[in-house]
Every structure is written in structure tokens, then in C-alpha cells.
Amino acid sequence: MAGRPRTEIDLDQLRKLMALNCTMAEVAAFFGCNKRTIERRAAEDDEFAEIIESGRADGMLSVRRQQFQIM
């Protein structure tokens, strides 16, 4: 019995979405899958999880940079 086909997730796009501080639900909607699909893949794939974390970190740095420019 074959499982469902794996949702193709472009890792560069994933990093960009995370840098924009998108929620997992927003990321899932972008890729046309369920939020649990993203969460499960992050739990199973270290590279995928690292891209999520580094994208989030890039996004936080960007926000912080903007805050300092306002001051």
C-alpha cells in the first residue's frame, strides 16, 4: 500500500517565508499542505528544521535592525 505523495517544499522559499516571520499555518497554505505536514517534516528532517530556525533568526535580525533605525 503506497502512502501519499510527499509535498514538494522548496527550501529557499521556506527560508524566505520564515524570515518574513510567517506562521506554520501560513507556510503550509503557501505550499498547499497541512500545518502538521510542515511540523512533522521539521521533526523528522534536521536540515529542514535548521532552515526553519535560521530563517526565523534572519527575520528577527531584520526586525531588530528596523527597530534600531527608527530610534
Side-chain angles (χ1 to χ4, degrees):
M1 183 168 158
R4 290 184 180 178
R6 187 173 186 142
T7 301
E8 287 297 318
I9 296 175
D10 181 281
L11 299 181
D12 289 330
Q13 286 292 336
L14 175 64
R15 183 184 302 276
K16 290 174 186 176
L17 291 169
M18 297 314 297
L20 291 172
N21 294 312
C22 291
T23 65
M24 289 296 183
E26 292 167 334
V27 171
F30 180 85
F31 289 114
C33 64
N34 190 292
K35 179 176 112 171
R36 287 186 52 193
T37 300
I38 304 293
E39 293 168 344
R40 184 173 30 254
R41 179 124 175 237
E44 295 171 353
D45 183 337
D46 291 339
E47 178 187 12
F48 193 87
E50 176 59 32
I51 288 170
I52 288 173
E53 290 306 312
S54 66
R56 281 183 176 155
D58 290 346
M60 293 307 295
L61 284 171
S62 179
V63 168
R64 188 163 289 122
R65 189 176 301 116
Q66 291 295 322
Q67 289 172 330
F68 277 110
Q69 288 178 353
I70 291 171
M71 296 168 79

Short mmCIF file of all heavy atoms in Angstrom, two decimals:
data_model
loop_
_atom_site.label_atom_id
_atom_site.label_comp_id
_atom_site.label_asym_id
_atom_site.label_seq_id
_atom_site.Cartn_x
_atom_site.Cartn_y
_atom_site.Cartn_z
N MET A 1 0.85 -1.18 0.00
CA MET A 1 0.00 0.00 0.00
C MET A 1 0.89 1.24 0.00
O MET A 1 1.73 1.41 0.86
CB MET A 1 -0.88 -0.02 1.24
CG MET A 1 -1.85 1.11 1.32
SD MET A 1 -3.00 0.71 2.64
CE MET A 1 -3.58 2.29 3.01
N ALA A 2 0.72 2.07 -0.97
CA ALA A 2 1.54 3.27 -1.10
C ALA A 2 0.94 4.40 -0.28
O ALA A 2 -0.27 4.55 -0.18
CB ALA A 2 1.62 3.68 -2.56
N GLY A 3 1.83 5.21 0.33
CA GLY A 3 1.37 6.37 1.09
C GLY A 3 1.10 7.54 0.17
O GLY A 3 1.21 7.44 -1.05
N ARG A 4 0.75 8.63 0.76
CA ARG A 4 0.51 9.85 -0.01
C ARG A 4 1.82 10.34 -0.62
O ARG A 4 2.89 10.17 -0.04
CB ARG A 4 -0.02 10.94 0.91
CG ARG A 4 -1.40 10.70 1.40
CD ARG A 4 -1.84 11.88 2.20
NE ARG A 4 -3.18 11.67 2.68
CZ ARG A 4 -3.82 12.51 3.45
NH1 ARG A 4 -3.25 13.62 3.85
NH2 ARG A 4 -5.04 12.25 3.85
N PRO A 5 1.73 11.01 -1.76
CA PRO A 5 2.95 11.58 -2.32
C PRO A 5 3.46 12.71 -1.41
O PRO A 5 2.67 13.43 -0.81
CB PRO A 5 2.51 12.13 -3.67
CG PRO A 5 1.04 12.17 -3.65
CD PRO A 5 0.57 11.22 -2.59
N ARG A 6 4.76 12.80 -1.29
CA ARG A 6 5.37 13.80 -0.41
C ARG A 6 5.20 15.20 -1.01
O ARG A 6 5.47 15.41 -2.19
CB ARG A 6 6.84 13.49 -0.23
CG ARG A 6 7.51 14.37 0.79
CD ARG A 6 8.91 13.89 1.04
NE ARG A 6 9.49 14.67 2.11
CZ ARG A 6 10.27 14.19 3.03
NH1 ARG A 6 10.59 12.93 3.01
NH2 ARG A 6 10.76 14.96 3.96
N THR A 7 4.76 16.14 -0.20
CA THR A 7 4.59 17.52 -0.63
C THR A 7 5.96 18.11 -0.94
O THR A 7 6.87 18.04 -0.11
CB THR A 7 3.91 18.35 0.47
OG1 THR A 7 2.63 17.79 0.77
CG2 THR A 7 3.72 19.79 0.05
N GLU A 8 6.11 18.66 -2.13
CA GLU A 8 7.37 19.30 -2.50
C GLU A 8 7.45 20.67 -1.83
O GLU A 8 6.57 21.51 -2.00
CB GLU A 8 7.47 19.47 -4.02
CG GLU A 8 7.71 18.17 -4.74
CD GLU A 8 9.05 17.52 -4.37
OE1 GLU A 8 10.06 18.24 -4.25
OE2 GLU A 8 9.06 16.30 -4.19
N ILE A 9 8.51 20.88 -1.07
CA ILE A 9 8.71 22.14 -0.38
C ILE A 9 10.07 22.68 -0.78
O ILE A 9 11.10 22.07 -0.49
CB ILE A 9 8.62 21.96 1.15
CG1 ILE A 9 7.20 21.50 1.51
CG2 ILE A 9 8.99 23.25 1.86
CD1 ILE A 9 6.99 21.18 2.96
N ASP A 10 10.06 23.81 -1.47
CA ASP A 10 11.29 24.46 -1.90
C ASP A 10 11.96 25.08 -0.66
O ASP A 10 11.38 25.95 0.00
CB ASP A 10 10.96 25.54 -2.93
CG ASP A 10 12.20 26.23 -3.43
OD1 ASP A 10 12.70 27.12 -2.70
OD2 ASP A 10 12.66 25.91 -4.54
N LEU A 11 13.17 24.63 -0.36
CA LEU A 11 13.83 25.05 0.86
C LEU A 11 14.22 26.53 0.84
O LEU A 11 14.21 27.19 1.89
CB LEU A 11 15.05 24.16 1.13
CG LEU A 11 14.72 22.68 1.34
CD1 LEU A 11 15.99 21.89 1.62
CD2 LEU A 11 13.69 22.46 2.44
N ASP A 12 14.53 27.07 -0.32
CA ASP A 12 14.82 28.51 -0.41
C ASP A 12 13.57 29.33 -0.11
O ASP A 12 13.63 30.33 0.61
CB ASP A 12 15.36 28.88 -1.79
CG ASP A 12 16.77 28.36 -2.02
OD1 ASP A 12 17.54 28.25 -1.04
OD2 ASP A 12 17.10 28.06 -3.18
N GLN A 13 12.44 28.89 -0.65
CA GLN A 13 11.18 29.58 -0.36
C GLN A 13 10.83 29.46 1.12
O GLN A 13 10.35 30.42 1.72
CB GLN A 13 10.05 29.00 -1.22
CG GLN A 13 10.08 29.41 -2.65
CD GLN A 13 9.78 30.89 -2.83
OE1 GLN A 13 9.15 31.53 -2.00
NE2 GLN A 13 10.26 31.45 -3.92
N LEU A 14 11.07 28.28 1.69
CA LEU A 14 10.79 28.07 3.11
C LEU A 14 11.58 29.06 3.95
O LEU A 14 11.05 29.70 4.85
CB LEU A 14 11.13 26.63 3.51
CG LEU A 14 10.99 26.29 4.99
CD1 LEU A 14 9.54 26.43 5.46
CD2 LEU A 14 11.51 24.89 5.26
N ARG A 15 12.89 29.19 3.66
CA ARG A 15 13.74 30.11 4.42
C ARG A 15 13.21 31.55 4.29
O ARG A 15 13.14 32.29 5.28
CB ARG A 15 15.18 30.05 3.92
CG ARG A 15 16.13 30.94 4.71
CD ARG A 15 17.52 30.93 4.15
NE ARG A 15 18.12 29.62 4.09
CZ ARG A 15 18.74 29.02 5.11
NH1 ARG A 15 18.83 29.64 6.26
NH2 ARG A 15 19.26 27.83 4.97
N LYS A 16 12.81 31.95 3.09
CA LYS A 16 12.29 33.30 2.89
C LYS A 16 11.01 33.54 3.67
O LYS A 16 10.83 34.61 4.27
CB LYS A 16 12.06 33.56 1.40
CG LYS A 16 13.34 33.68 0.61
CD LYS A 16 13.07 33.80 -0.88
CE LYS A 16 14.36 33.76 -1.67
NZ LYS A 16 14.10 33.78 -3.13
N LEU A 17 10.13 32.56 3.66
CA LEU A 17 8.87 32.69 4.41
C LEU A 17 9.13 32.79 5.91
O LEU A 17 8.50 33.60 6.61
CB LEU A 17 7.95 31.50 4.12
CG LEU A 17 7.37 31.45 2.71
CD1 LEU A 17 6.70 30.10 2.46
CD2 LEU A 17 6.41 32.60 2.48
N MET A 18 10.07 32.00 6.40
CA MET A 18 10.39 32.05 7.83
C MET A 18 11.04 33.39 8.18
O MET A 18 10.80 33.93 9.26
CB MET A 18 11.29 30.88 8.23
CG MET A 18 10.66 29.52 8.05
SD MET A 18 8.97 29.34 8.67
CE MET A 18 9.21 29.62 10.41
N ALA A 19 11.85 33.94 7.28
CA ALA A 19 12.47 35.25 7.51
C ALA A 19 11.43 36.36 7.55
O ALA A 19 11.65 37.40 8.17
CB ALA A 19 13.52 35.53 6.45
N LEU A 20 10.29 36.13 6.91
CA LEU A 20 9.18 37.08 6.97
C LEU A 20 8.32 36.88 8.21
O LEU A 20 7.29 37.53 8.37
CB LEU A 20 8.31 36.94 5.71
CG LEU A 20 8.95 37.40 4.41
CD1 LEU A 20 8.06 37.02 3.23
CD2 LEU A 20 9.19 38.90 4.44
N ASN A 21 8.74 35.97 9.07
CA ASN A 21 8.03 35.64 10.31
C ASN A 21 6.65 35.06 10.05
O ASN A 21 5.70 35.30 10.80
CB ASN A 21 7.95 36.85 11.25
CG ASN A 21 9.31 37.25 11.74
OD1 ASN A 21 10.09 36.42 12.18
ND2 ASN A 21 9.63 38.54 11.65
N CYS A 22 6.52 34.29 8.97
CA CYS A 22 5.25 33.62 8.69
C CYS A 22 5.01 32.53 9.73
O CYS A 22 5.94 31.91 10.22
CB CYS A 22 5.29 32.98 7.30
SG CYS A 22 5.31 34.18 5.96
N THR A 23 3.75 32.30 10.02
CA THR A 23 3.39 31.21 10.92
C THR A 23 3.46 29.89 10.14
O THR A 23 3.49 29.88 8.91
CB THR A 23 1.95 31.39 11.44
OG1 THR A 23 1.04 31.28 10.34
CG2 THR A 23 1.78 32.72 12.16
N MET A 24 3.46 28.79 10.88
CA MET A 24 3.46 27.48 10.23
C MET A 24 2.20 27.32 9.37
O MET A 24 2.25 26.72 8.30
CB MET A 24 3.55 26.36 11.25
CG MET A 24 4.88 26.26 11.90
SD MET A 24 6.14 25.85 10.71
CE MET A 24 7.54 25.72 11.76
N ALA A 25 1.08 27.85 9.84
CA ALA A 25 -0.17 27.77 9.07
C ALA A 25 -0.02 28.53 7.75
O ALA A 25 -0.48 28.06 6.70
CB ALA A 25 -1.33 28.32 9.88
N GLU A 26 0.63 29.69 7.78
CA GLU A 26 0.83 30.47 6.55
C GLU A 26 1.79 29.76 5.60
O GLU A 26 1.57 29.74 4.38
CB GLU A 26 1.38 31.86 6.90
CG GLU A 26 0.36 32.72 7.62
CD GLU A 26 0.94 33.96 8.25
OE1 GLU A 26 2.15 33.97 8.58
OE2 GLU A 26 0.18 34.93 8.42
N VAL A 27 2.84 29.15 6.15
CA VAL A 27 3.79 28.39 5.33
C VAL A 27 3.07 27.21 4.67
O VAL A 27 3.23 26.97 3.48
CB VAL A 27 4.99 27.91 6.18
CG1 VAL A 27 5.86 26.94 5.41
CG2 VAL A 27 5.80 29.10 6.67
N ALA A 28 2.28 26.51 5.46
CA ALA A 28 1.54 25.37 4.93
C ALA A 28 0.59 25.80 3.81
O ALA A 28 0.51 25.15 2.77
CB ALA A 28 0.77 24.67 6.05
N ALA A 29 -0.10 26.90 4.01
CA ALA A 29 -1.01 27.40 2.98
C ALA A 29 -0.25 27.75 1.71
O ALA A 29 -0.71 27.45 0.60
CB ALA A 29 -1.77 28.62 3.49
N PHE A 30 0.93 28.35 1.85
CA PHE A 30 1.74 28.70 0.69
C PHE A 30 2.10 27.46 -0.13
O PHE A 30 2.04 27.48 -1.35
CB PHE A 30 3.01 29.42 1.14
CG PHE A 30 3.93 29.82 0.02
CD1 PHE A 30 3.72 31.01 -0.65
CD2 PHE A 30 4.98 29.01 -0.36
CE1 PHE A 30 4.56 31.39 -1.71
CE2 PHE A 30 5.82 29.37 -1.40
CZ PHE A 30 5.61 30.55 -2.08
N PHE A 31 2.48 26.38 0.58
CA PHE A 31 2.89 25.16 -0.11
C PHE A 31 1.72 24.22 -0.41
O PHE A 31 1.91 23.16 -1.01
CB PHE A 31 3.96 24.42 0.70
CG PHE A 31 5.28 25.12 0.70
CD1 PHE A 31 5.79 25.66 1.86
CD2 PHE A 31 6.02 25.25 -0.47
CE1 PHE A 31 7.02 26.31 1.86
CE2 PHE A 31 7.24 25.90 -0.48
CZ PHE A 31 7.75 26.44 0.69
N GLY A 32 0.52 24.60 0.02
CA GLY A 32 -0.66 23.79 -0.29
C GLY A 32 -0.72 22.48 0.48
O GLY A 32 -1.11 21.45 -0.07
N CYS A 33 -0.31 22.54 1.74
CA CYS A 33 -0.35 21.33 2.57
C CYS A 33 -0.90 21.69 3.95
O CYS A 33 -1.23 22.84 4.22
CB CYS A 33 1.04 20.70 2.68
SG CYS A 33 2.27 21.73 3.51
N ASN A 34 -0.97 20.71 4.80
CA ASN A 34 -1.44 20.88 6.16
C ASN A 34 -0.29 21.35 7.05
O ASN A 34 0.86 20.99 6.83
CB ASN A 34 -1.99 19.54 6.66
CG ASN A 34 -2.71 19.67 7.97
OD1 ASN A 34 -2.12 19.94 8.99
ND2 ASN A 34 -4.01 19.46 7.93
N LYS A 35 -0.61 22.13 8.05
CA LYS A 35 0.39 22.61 9.01
C LYS A 35 1.13 21.44 9.66
O LYS A 35 2.35 21.50 9.88
CB LYS A 35 -0.30 23.46 10.08
CG LYS A 35 0.60 23.99 11.15
CD LYS A 35 -0.17 24.89 12.10
CE LYS A 35 -0.26 24.21 13.43
NZ LYS A 35 -0.81 25.07 14.48
N ARG A 36 0.43 20.36 9.92
CA ARG A 36 1.07 19.18 10.53
C ARG A 36 2.13 18.58 9.61
O ARG A 36 3.11 18.01 10.09
CB ARG A 36 0.02 18.14 10.88
CG ARG A 36 -0.82 18.57 12.08
CD ARG A 36 -1.76 17.50 12.53
NE ARG A 36 -1.03 16.25 12.72
CZ ARG A 36 -1.60 15.08 12.87
NH1 ARG A 36 -2.90 14.99 12.87
NH2 ARG A 36 -0.89 14.00 13.04
N THR A 37 1.97 18.73 8.31
CA THR A 37 2.97 18.23 7.36
C THR A 37 4.29 18.96 7.58
O THR A 37 5.36 18.34 7.64
CB THR A 37 2.49 18.43 5.91
OG1 THR A 37 1.27 17.72 5.73
CG2 THR A 37 3.52 17.98 4.91
N ILE A 38 4.23 20.28 7.73
CA ILE A 38 5.43 21.08 7.97
C ILE A 38 6.05 20.70 9.31
O ILE A 38 7.26 20.48 9.42
CB ILE A 38 5.10 22.58 7.95
CG1 ILE A 38 4.42 23.00 6.64
CG2 ILE A 38 6.34 23.41 8.24
CD1 ILE A 38 5.29 22.91 5.42
N GLU A 39 5.22 20.60 10.34
CA GLU A 39 5.71 20.27 11.68
C GLU A 39 6.34 18.87 11.71
O GLU A 39 7.39 18.68 12.33
CB GLU A 39 4.59 20.38 12.69
CG GLU A 39 4.10 21.80 12.89
CD GLU A 39 2.81 21.91 13.65
OE1 GLU A 39 2.09 20.89 13.79
OE2 GLU A 39 2.50 23.02 14.11
N ARG A 40 5.70 17.92 11.07
CA ARG A 40 6.22 16.55 11.05
C ARG A 40 7.56 16.48 10.32
O ARG A 40 8.51 15.86 10.79
CB ARG A 40 5.19 15.61 10.39
CG ARG A 40 5.59 14.15 10.41
CD ARG A 40 4.50 13.22 9.90
NE ARG A 40 3.63 13.77 8.92
CZ ARG A 40 2.34 14.17 9.04
NH1 ARG A 40 1.73 14.09 9.94
NH2 ARG A 40 1.60 14.67 8.15
N ARG A 41 7.63 17.18 9.19
CA ARG A 41 8.89 17.17 8.43
C ARG A 41 10.02 17.81 9.23
O ARG A 41 11.15 17.33 9.21
CB ARG A 41 8.69 17.89 7.10
CG ARG A 41 9.93 17.93 6.27
CD ARG A 41 9.72 17.35 4.90
NE ARG A 41 10.92 17.52 4.11
CZ ARG A 41 10.99 18.13 2.95
NH1 ARG A 41 9.88 18.60 2.41
NH2 ARG A 41 12.11 18.26 2.32
N ALA A 42 9.72 18.87 9.96
CA ALA A 42 10.74 19.52 10.79
C ALA A 42 11.21 18.59 11.90
O ALA A 42 12.39 18.58 12.25
CB ALA A 42 10.19 20.82 11.38
N ALA A 43 10.30 17.77 12.43
CA ALA A 43 10.66 16.83 13.48
C ALA A 43 11.50 15.67 12.95
O ALA A 43 12.34 15.12 13.66
CB ALA A 43 9.40 16.30 14.16
N GLU A 44 11.30 15.31 11.68
CA GLU A 44 11.97 14.15 11.10
C GLU A 44 13.25 14.50 10.34
O GLU A 44 14.10 13.64 10.13
CB GLU A 44 11.02 13.43 10.13
CG GLU A 44 9.82 12.84 10.81
CD GLU A 44 8.78 12.31 9.82
OE1 GLU A 44 8.93 12.53 8.59
OE2 GLU A 44 7.80 11.70 10.27
N ASP A 45 13.39 15.74 9.89
CA ASP A 45 14.48 16.13 9.00
C ASP A 45 15.27 17.28 9.63
O ASP A 45 14.79 18.41 9.70
CB ASP A 45 13.88 16.54 7.65
CG ASP A 45 14.90 16.90 6.59
OD1 ASP A 45 16.04 17.27 6.94
OD2 ASP A 45 14.55 16.84 5.40
N ASP A 46 16.49 17.00 10.05
CA ASP A 46 17.31 18.01 10.72
C ASP A 46 17.61 19.21 9.83
O ASP A 46 17.61 20.35 10.29
CB ASP A 46 18.62 17.39 11.22
CG ASP A 46 18.41 16.43 12.37
OD1 ASP A 46 17.37 16.50 13.05
OD2 ASP A 46 19.31 15.59 12.60
N GLU A 47 17.88 18.97 8.55
CA GLU A 47 18.18 20.07 7.64
C GLU A 47 16.96 20.99 7.49
O GLU A 47 17.08 22.21 7.52
CB GLU A 47 18.58 19.54 6.26
CG GLU A 47 18.84 20.66 5.26
CD GLU A 47 19.09 20.17 3.83
OE1 GLU A 47 18.82 18.98 3.54
OE2 GLU A 47 19.51 21.00 3.02
N PHE A 48 15.80 20.39 7.38
CA PHE A 48 14.54 21.14 7.26
C PHE A 48 14.33 22.00 8.51
O PHE A 48 14.02 23.20 8.41
CB PHE A 48 13.39 20.15 7.07
CG PHE A 48 12.10 20.76 6.64
CD1 PHE A 48 11.83 20.95 5.29
CD2 PHE A 48 11.12 21.08 7.56
CE1 PHE A 48 10.62 21.48 4.87
CE2 PHE A 48 9.91 21.61 7.16
CZ PHE A 48 9.65 21.81 5.81
N ALA A 49 14.53 21.40 9.68
CA ALA A 49 14.37 22.13 10.94
C ALA A 49 15.38 23.27 11.04
O ALA A 49 15.04 24.37 11.52
CB ALA A 49 14.52 21.17 12.12
N GLU A 50 16.61 23.03 10.60
CA GLU A 50 17.64 24.08 10.64
C GLU A 50 17.27 25.25 9.74
O GLU A 50 17.50 26.41 10.10
CB GLU A 50 18.99 23.49 10.23
CG GLU A 50 20.11 24.50 10.13
CD GLU A 50 20.38 25.24 11.42
OE1 GLU A 50 20.19 24.67 12.51
OE2 GLU A 50 20.79 26.42 11.34
N ILE A 51 16.70 24.97 8.59
CA ILE A 51 16.27 26.04 7.69
C ILE A 51 15.17 26.88 8.33
O ILE A 51 15.18 28.10 8.24
CB ILE A 51 15.83 25.46 6.33
CG1 ILE A 51 17.07 24.98 5.58
CG2 ILE A 51 15.02 26.46 5.51
CD1 ILE A 51 16.79 24.17 4.35
N ILE A 52 14.26 26.22 9.01
CA ILE A 52 13.19 26.95 9.72
C ILE A 52 13.81 27.85 10.79
O ILE A 52 13.49 29.04 10.87
CB ILE A 52 12.17 25.96 10.34
CG1 ILE A 52 11.33 25.34 9.23
CG2 ILE A 52 11.29 26.67 11.37
CD1 ILE A 52 10.41 24.24 9.70
N GLU A 53 14.70 27.31 11.59
CA GLU A 53 15.30 28.09 12.68
C GLU A 53 16.17 29.22 12.16
O GLU A 53 16.10 30.34 12.67
CB GLU A 53 16.10 27.18 13.60
CG GLU A 53 15.23 26.25 14.42
CD GLU A 53 14.16 26.97 15.22
OE1 GLU A 53 14.47 27.98 15.90
OE2 GLU A 53 12.99 26.55 15.16
N SER A 54 16.98 28.97 11.13
CA SER A 54 17.85 30.03 10.62
C SER A 54 17.02 31.10 9.91
O SER A 54 17.34 32.29 10.00
CB SER A 54 18.93 29.46 9.71
OG SER A 54 18.39 28.91 8.55
N GLY A 55 15.95 30.71 9.24
CA GLY A 55 15.06 31.69 8.63
C GLY A 55 14.40 32.57 9.66
O GLY A 55 14.31 33.80 9.50
N ARG A 56 13.95 31.97 10.75
CA ARG A 56 13.36 32.75 11.84
C ARG A 56 14.38 33.72 12.43
O ARG A 56 14.06 34.88 12.71
CB ARG A 56 12.86 31.82 12.95
CG ARG A 56 11.55 31.17 12.65
CD ARG A 56 11.10 30.33 13.82
NE ARG A 56 9.78 29.77 13.55
CZ ARG A 56 9.33 28.67 14.10
NH1 ARG A 56 10.07 27.99 14.96
NH2 ARG A 56 8.13 28.23 13.81
N ALA A 57 15.61 33.24 12.62
CA ALA A 57 16.67 34.09 13.17
C ALA A 57 16.94 35.28 12.23
O ALA A 57 17.09 36.41 12.69
CB ALA A 57 17.94 33.28 13.39
N ASP A 58 16.98 35.02 10.93
CA ASP A 58 17.17 36.10 9.96
C ASP A 58 16.04 37.12 10.07
O ASP A 58 16.28 38.33 10.00
CB ASP A 58 17.22 35.56 8.53
CG ASP A 58 18.47 34.77 8.23
OD1 ASP A 58 19.44 34.85 9.02
OD2 ASP A 58 18.49 34.06 7.20
N GLY A 59 14.83 36.63 10.24
CA GLY A 59 13.68 37.52 10.37
C GLY A 59 13.76 38.37 11.62
O GLY A 59 13.47 39.58 11.59
N MET A 60 14.18 37.78 12.72
CA MET A 60 14.31 38.53 13.97
C MET A 60 15.41 39.59 13.86
O MET A 60 15.26 40.71 14.37
CB MET A 60 14.57 37.58 15.15
CG MET A 60 13.40 36.67 15.46
SD MET A 60 11.83 37.55 15.71
CE MET A 60 12.19 38.46 17.18
N LEU A 61 16.50 39.25 13.20
CA LEU A 61 17.57 40.24 12.99
C LEU A 61 17.07 41.41 12.16
O LEU A 61 17.40 42.57 12.43
CB LEU A 61 18.77 39.59 12.30
CG LEU A 61 19.64 38.72 13.18
CD1 LEU A 61 20.66 37.96 12.33
CD2 LEU A 61 20.34 39.55 14.23
N SER A 62 16.27 41.11 11.16
CA SER A 62 15.72 42.15 10.31
C SER A 62 14.81 43.08 11.11
O SER A 62 14.88 44.31 10.96
CB SER A 62 14.95 41.52 9.16
OG SER A 62 14.39 42.51 8.34
N VAL A 63 13.97 42.52 11.94
CA VAL A 63 13.08 43.32 12.79
C VAL A 63 13.91 44.18 13.74
O VAL A 63 13.65 45.39 13.87
CB VAL A 63 12.11 42.42 13.59
CG1 VAL A 63 11.38 43.20 14.66
CG2 VAL A 63 11.12 41.75 12.65
N ARG A 64 14.90 43.60 14.36
CA ARG A 64 15.74 44.34 15.30
C ARG A 64 16.47 45.48 14.57
O ARG A 64 16.57 46.59 15.08
CB ARG A 64 16.74 43.40 15.97
CG ARG A 64 17.51 44.07 17.08
CD ARG A 64 18.19 43.08 18.00
NE ARG A 64 17.17 42.39 18.81
CZ ARG A 64 17.01 41.06 18.81
NH1 ARG A 64 17.78 40.29 18.12
NH2 ARG A 64 16.08 40.51 19.56
N ARG A 65 16.97 45.22 13.38
CA ARG A 65 17.66 46.24 12.59
C ARG A 65 16.71 47.41 12.31
O ARG A 65 17.09 48.58 12.46
CB ARG A 65 18.15 45.64 11.28
CG ARG A 65 19.06 46.52 10.49
CD ARG A 65 19.59 45.82 9.24
NE ARG A 65 20.33 44.61 9.55
CZ ARG A 65 19.98 43.37 9.19
NH1 ARG A 65 18.88 43.17 8.49
NH2 ARG A 65 20.72 42.34 9.50
N GLN A 66 15.48 47.10 11.95
CA GLN A 66 14.50 48.14 11.68
C GLN A 66 14.18 48.94 12.95
O GLN A 66 14.01 50.16 12.89
CB GLN A 66 13.20 47.53 11.13
CG GLN A 66 13.35 46.96 9.73
CD GLN A 66 13.66 48.02 8.71
OE1 GLN A 66 13.15 49.13 8.76
NE2 GLN A 66 14.54 47.70 7.78
N GLN A 67 14.12 48.26 14.09
CA GLN A 67 13.85 48.96 15.35
C GLN A 67 14.95 49.97 15.66
O GLN A 67 14.68 51.09 16.10
CB GLN A 67 13.71 47.96 16.50
CG GLN A 67 12.45 47.15 16.44
CD GLN A 67 12.42 46.03 17.47
OE1 GLN A 67 13.46 45.49 17.85
NE2 GLN A 67 11.22 45.69 17.92
N PHE A 68 16.19 49.59 15.42
CA PHE A 68 17.31 50.49 15.70
C PHE A 68 17.32 51.66 14.73
O PHE A 68 17.71 52.77 15.09
CB PHE A 68 18.66 49.75 15.66
CG PHE A 68 18.97 49.07 16.95
CD1 PHE A 68 18.96 47.69 17.02
CD2 PHE A 68 19.28 49.78 18.09
CE1 PHE A 68 19.24 47.03 18.21
CE2 PHE A 68 19.56 49.15 19.28
CZ PHE A 68 19.55 47.77 19.35
N GLN A 69 16.89 51.44 13.50
CA GLN A 69 16.84 52.53 12.54
C GLN A 69 15.78 53.56 12.90
O GLN A 69 15.93 54.75 12.60
CB GLN A 69 16.59 51.99 11.13
CG GLN A 69 17.80 51.28 10.56
CD GLN A 69 17.54 50.70 9.18
OE1 GLN A 69 16.42 50.72 8.69
NE2 GLN A 69 18.60 50.17 8.58
N ILE A 70 14.73 53.12 13.57
CA ILE A 70 13.66 54.02 13.99
C ILE A 70 14.12 54.92 15.13
O ILE A 70 13.73 56.07 15.23
CB ILE A 70 12.41 53.22 14.40
CG1 ILE A 70 11.79 52.58 13.17
CG2 ILE A 70 11.39 54.10 15.10
CD1 ILE A 70 10.69 51.59 13.48
N MET A 71 14.99 54.39 15.97
CA MET A 71 15.44 55.13 17.17
C MET A 71 16.27 56.32 16.85
O MET A 71 16.89 56.73 16.11
CB MET A 71 16.19 54.20 18.10
CG MET A 71 15.30 53.11 18.61
SD MET A 71 16.19 51.79 19.45
CE MET A 71 16.50 52.52 21.03
#
